[in-house]
Amino acid sequence: MTGPAKQLKGRAARLARMMPAGATSAARTPFVLLVVLLLGGGLITLLLLNSSLNEGSFRLSELKKQTTDLTDEQQALQRDVDDHSAPDALGRRARELGMVPGGNPAFLDPDGSVRGVPERAEALPPVRPSVLEQPPPASPPPGSTVPVPLPSPAASAADPSAAATEAPRDPAASAPVPTPGDPAPTTSGR
């Protein structure tokens, strides 16, 4: 039985000759290690690439926020420049500094003759700074009284136009202001 069992015939014999005889697991070990190392290296490379992309996206979002902040600041500064360079603002500031409008100009021709009649500039009455530009008044400490100026009847009778332009007063505004020594009013039942 050993003789015919060892001999293969036909197709099986041809296949048996193609297969190497002996231990084949030793030849596969380097190939498996190579595949495992390639897969591990690929995964580590992908991990490093992904972390660098995330770092770049965080940096990009920080730069976008910084750009937005700087754009807002630039627009606010441009608005301030526009407000200060408006013709009415320039004129008001010039009057506050004591400047006067120039009036009609006179021109010199190339031959030396004067065209136009030069006039002396006249000073306008000084303009008080606007209410918007004045610093807010310092508020009195709590509990102190603030005197409220009331128009005198003699001034109202002498200048009826001033009395007519004065706004009607609120009755609650003319109520007496408590002094620090007065007890505070209380309400009962609440």
Side-chain angles (χ1 to χ4, degrees), residues 101-155:
N104 292 332
F107 299 98
L108 291 177
D109 288 331
D111 62 354
S113 62
V114 177
R115 187 177 348 150
V117 178
E119 295 178 5
R120 181 181 174 104
E122 296 181 19
L124 300 175
V127 177
R128 293 186 348 222
S130 67
V131 176
L132 297 176
E133 293 182 7
Q134 291 180 352
S139 60
S144 67
T145 61
V146 177
V148 177
L150 296 175
S152 66

Side-chain angles (χ1 to χ4, degrees), residues 72-93 133:
D72 291 345
E73 182 179 353
Q74 187 264 343
Q75 289 174 351
L77 291 173
Q78 185 63 44
R79 210 173 17 255
D80 289 346
V81 167
D82 292 342
D83 289 345
H84 283 85
S85 63
D88 59 336
L90 287 174
R92 184 186 69 247
R93 287 196 340 242
E133 293 182 7

Side-chain angles (χ1 to χ4, degrees), residues 140-148 171-186:
S144 67
T145 61
V146 177
V148 177
S174 62
V177 179
T179 59
D182 292 342
T186 60

